Amino acid sequence: MRLTYKFSKEDLSKIPADIVVIQCKKVLGDGKKPGQLLKSDGGMLLDKALGGLLTRVLADEMFDGSQCTSKIIDIHSKIAAKKILIVGIGEEKDLSLDSLRLIGSKITKIANGLRAKSIAGVLQPEKIKNLSPSDRMQALVEGMQLGGYRFDLYKNKKDLEKPTLQTIKVIFGGNPAAAEKATKLGTLFAEAISYARDLVNMPGHDLTPEVLAIEAKKIAKAGHLFCKVLNEKEIEKDGMGLLTAISKGAANPPRFIHLGYKPKKKAKIKIAIVGKGITFDSGGYNLKSTIHMENMKQDMAGAAALLSIMKLLPTIRPSVQIDGYIPATENMIDGKAHKPGDVIRSRSGKTVEILNLDAEGRLILADAIDHAKENSPDIMIDMATLTGGVRYALGEIYTAILGNDQGLIDKIISASKSAGEPMWQLPLEKEYLKGFKESIADLNNNGKSYASTICGALFINEFVGKTKWAHLDIAESAWAREERGYRTKGGTGAMIQTIINFLASY
Ligand code: BES
Ligand code: ZN
Ligand code: ZN
């Protein structure tokens, strides 16, 4: 549900909201002091109006204001609101856009948990740390909206307990125009991320390559983007032998999707983005373990992020040309499916011995990248749930980034910082390429090294050529096995904000 924001200059104590939200910061020292209410957000004033009740509660219960902790206090007189929610914001030095997203999601969850319809709070007009009120507002809105994300498409609607929170009253002393714009932007981002989450969470039988293509067409129509979809025959005719090979075992036919955005003025540069679109990865004849194979519906998270990015472009309007490509297929088993050891000619002409049918992502990306190169992009980026090994390299929250151009990698990592999407670079170690060359074909698709995330990137690199390129392995970051703050369980919508920040930086 979309939350609505109303800006006003009223007195916080006079607002008849279900909950008034105030902040509490952590004080430096021995850690044994209660947290401190703020003057600037009306907390101290409310405390005064309530005869010091809030400070007493903080001291009695040793609430120290650590980030994302909270305290609810029921109020029955003296102020118009029914309840006060005190949110710990930690020490000022730890405040960041992402901590505000986390705080925002916490507020939504508490409000819905208490069945509150309206909340109110102060947006301080001054800069806090280096963060302007608009930046803080946008991050809070993103967190509040995403914290309320649910995937209930398959739930029986009559049994659903609907979220209650609808309105947020923002008391703001400054000129509200910029802050109001920030709430619109925050809502836009949150809804784009929710859209990608929906696609990732949707089961493979409903989210087929054809459905991805239909979504792409809808996005193109609404945003006046270029859109071309190739069907299975056209994919084969285009020479995408590797994509064709992987699609052989599937009953649902493959699609190759191309979406294009151009700025009004002449584009500064051309950027191609490729998103892995395996709508279900069974592993093919290198069949995956059946334990949690259901999660392999997420193997199109790169495609989902790309669709969401393309959907945002007509509003964000960056000054670069962006072509998005999605090779979309299922990876299944069947009498027609390829067998381990089969040799396939890629679109580039290189032959590939498919030693492992479960290393299918790099195959379809190789053909897509070769296709994308025909438009002579200045930069190529691919986003892919490519290797389970990224979990062992970097754990649950990081996206691995590899590539052939340090400047590009640094620029993307820098864009990821304010997006709150941790990234870490792994080396494109050429030594490990040798394992791919031990083959009856030009290369095999498996390699030999334990460094599977690096190997995946090395294989793709063989098809990239001289174009500047960055590979984002989102196999862990695109999916939360359990809830992490505003990242609800399931698809996370990783890399949408990072890439939008990156594109907007030109
Ligand atoms: N889609 C998987 C990678 C994956 C694993 C994504 C877990 C999300 C969660 C990919 O196609 C794959 O199976 N990769 C193999 C490569 C190996 C066979 C070289 C892997 O990582 O095990
Ligand atoms: Zn696989
Ligand atoms: Zn896969």
Side-chain angles (χ1 to χ4, degrees):
M1 190 185 340
R2 182 183 290 180
L3 302 172
T4 51
Y5 298 84
K6 289 184 183 142
F7 285 79
S8 95
K9 295 197 193 299
E10 285 161 274
D11 180 340
L12 197 58
S13 66
K14 307 231 161 68
I15 296 183
D18 290 332
I19 304 176
V20 157
V21 186
I22 57 172
Q23 305 167 36
C24 176
K25 71 174 179 189
K26 194 169 175 168
V27 262
L28 297 167
D30 58 8
K32 291 191 184 124
K33 287 200 186 93
Q36 234 171 44
L37 298 173
L38 312 184
K39 195 173 169 200
S40 57
D41 79 337
M44 280 183 177
L45 272 175
L46 284 188
D47 191 36
K48 218 170 164 189
L50 294 166
L53 171 75
L54 304 180
T55 35
R56 270 203 308 281
V57 172
L58 294 184
D60 286 354
E61 303 192 13
M62 259 319 292
F63 182 84
D64 74 351
S66 292
Q67 208 171 82
C68 272
T69 52
S70 60
K71 181 94 224 131
I72 305 280
I73 300 168
D74 277 302
I75 308 291
H76 299 287
S77 62
K78 294 189 179 137
I79 67 167
K82 292 182 193 146
K83 286 181 165 61
I84 292 183
L85 165 61
I86 306 179
V87 182
I89 54 166
E91 289 176 34
E92 194 174 304
K93 70 172 173 46
D94 297 328
L95 200 73
S96 66
L97 290 179
D98 212 44
S99 56
L100 288 165
R101 289 187 194 102
L102 293 170
I103 290 169
S105 96
K106 179 103 192 181
I107 293 173
T108 302
K109 281 177 199 159
I110 292 176
N112 282 327
L114 293 170
R115 313 303 294 152
K117 287 196 188 106
S118 61
I119 62 173
V122 171
L123 173 65
Q124 296 132 289
E126 68 275 10
K127 257 194 173 186
I128 299 180
K129 248 177 97 180
N130 53 345
L131 307 173
S132 70
S134 309
D135 289 346
R136 299 197 311 272
M137 190 66 213
Q138 186 181 329
L140 266 170
V141 168
E142 287 165 2
M144 280 197 281
Q145 189 69 38
L146 286 171
Y149 172 83
R150 298 171 179 204
F151 184 66
D152 52 20
L153 195 67
Y154 294 86
K155 296 260 193 208
N156 214 323
K157 296 290 175 286
K158 69 175 177 6
D159 301 337
L160 273 186
E161 192 176 67
K162 286 206 185 82
T164 50
L165 184 62
Q166 289 168 358
T167 342
I168 290 108
K169 200 146 210 195
V170 187
I171 315 299
F172 186 53
N175 174 2
E180 272 176 310
K181 197 175 158 212
T183 63
K184 292 215 174 83
L185 217 52
T187 305
L188 183 78
F189 273 124
E191 287 183 345
I193 291 167
S194 303
Y195 168 69
R197 287 182 183 179
D198 281 349
L199 295 179
V200 172
N201 291 336
M202 216 185 266
H205 72 106
D206 277 344
L207 201 280
T208 58
E210 171 66 10
V211 171
L212 279 181
I214 292 169
E215 287 301 312
K217 283 179 191 160
K218 275 195 231 161
I219 290 168
K221 197 165 174 214
H224 306 287
L225 303 176
F226 166 86
C227 181
K228 189 168 181 199
V229 176
L230 304 185
N231 64 22
E232 63 270 41
K233 284 201 186 98
E234 292 160 330
I235 289 169
E236 208 168 344
K237 211 167 145 218
D238 184 72
M240 290 192 262
L242 296 172
L243 175 56
T244 302
I246 292 304
S247 73
K248 286 285 184 214
N252 291 308
R255 292 289 181 265
F256 185 80
I257 303 162
H258 175 188
L259 281 169
Y261 159 86
K262 274 188 185 152
K264 290 224 167 72
K265 287 190 197 143
K266 194 178 168 343
K268 287 186 187 161
I269 54 166
K270 280 200 260 183
I271 301 179
I273 311 179
V274 182
K276 173 175 172 182
I278 295 287
T279 56
F280 189 80
D281 184 9
S282 73
Y285 275 107
N286 296 85
L287 196 62
K288 285 186 182 291
S289 142
T290 51
I291 305 168
H292 296 309
M293 199 206 265
E294 71 275 13
N295 288 345
M296 279 305 123
K297 65 180 183 181
Q298 66 163 299
D299 215 14
M300 34 55 73
L306 179 55
L307 287 179
S308 174
I309 289 163
M310 298 307 295
K311 199 172 173 170
L312 284 169
L313 293 181
T315 315
I316 307 291
R317 297 220 68 82
S319 50
V320 289
Q321 178 176 330
I322 298 141
D323 288 284
Y325 301 90
I326 298 171
T329 178
E330 294 177 340
N331 185 26
M332 301 295 282
I333 51 173
D334 181 76
K336 293 199 183 80
H338 276 288
K339 300 166 273 293
D342 286 358
V343 175
I344 308 292
R345 196 183 145 87
S346 68
R347 189 181 191 279
S348 75
K350 283 192 172 133
T351 55
V352 181
E353 182 181 16
I354 307 183
L355 290 185
N356 193 327
L357 265 304
D358 197 13
E360 83 299 337
R362 60 196 71 183
L363 299 177
I364 66 165
L365 287 175
D367 273 352
I369 280 174
D370 192 70
H371 183 107
K373 267 160 67 179
E374 268 176 19
N375 261 335
S376 324
D378 301 288
I379 286 171
M380 277 199 285
I381 299 170
D382 76 78
M383 301 184 288
T385 44
L386 206 72
T387 60
V390 74
R391 170 184 310 169
Y392 304 106
L394 298 173
E396 286 81 358
I397 63 173
Y398 279 80
T399 294
I401 179 165
L402 302 96
N404 63 7
D405 185 86
Q406 197 55 44
L408 172 63
I409 291 172
D410 290 344
K411 208 166 155 59
I412 297 175
I413 294 178
S414 145
S416 76
K417 301 261 194 257
S418 56
E421 301 192 297
M423 285 190 122
W424 201 258
Q425 183 179 2
L426 295 179
L428 196 64
E429 176 52 63
K430 299 282 161 44
E431 176 72 18
Y432 305 148
L433 189 62
K434 286 183 195 147
F436 287 101
K437 300 278 164 90
E438 291 174 22
S439 173
I440 60 166
D442 293 334
L443 66 166
N444 69 59
N445 75 329
N446 201 32
K448 250 185 165 177
S449 166
Y450 290 113
S452 76
T453 305
I454 297 176
C455 280
L458 278 170
F459 182 91
I460 297 168
N461 186 38
E462 289 301 288
F463 297 84
V464 166
K466 295 218 162 22
T467 315
K468 289 179 184 174
W469 157 75
H471 161 66
L472 314 184
D473 193 329
I474 55 169
E476 275 296 303
S477 56
W479 183 264
R481 266 168 285 157
E482 53 206 43
E483 184 169 283
R484 298 196 295 261
Y486 58 91
R487 290 173 178 104
T488 39
K489 190 174 168 171
T492 60
M495 288 301 111
I496 295 165
Q497 264 182 308
T498 294
I499 296 297
I500 290 289
N501 285 353
F502 166 78
L503 297 172
S505 73
Y506 281 93

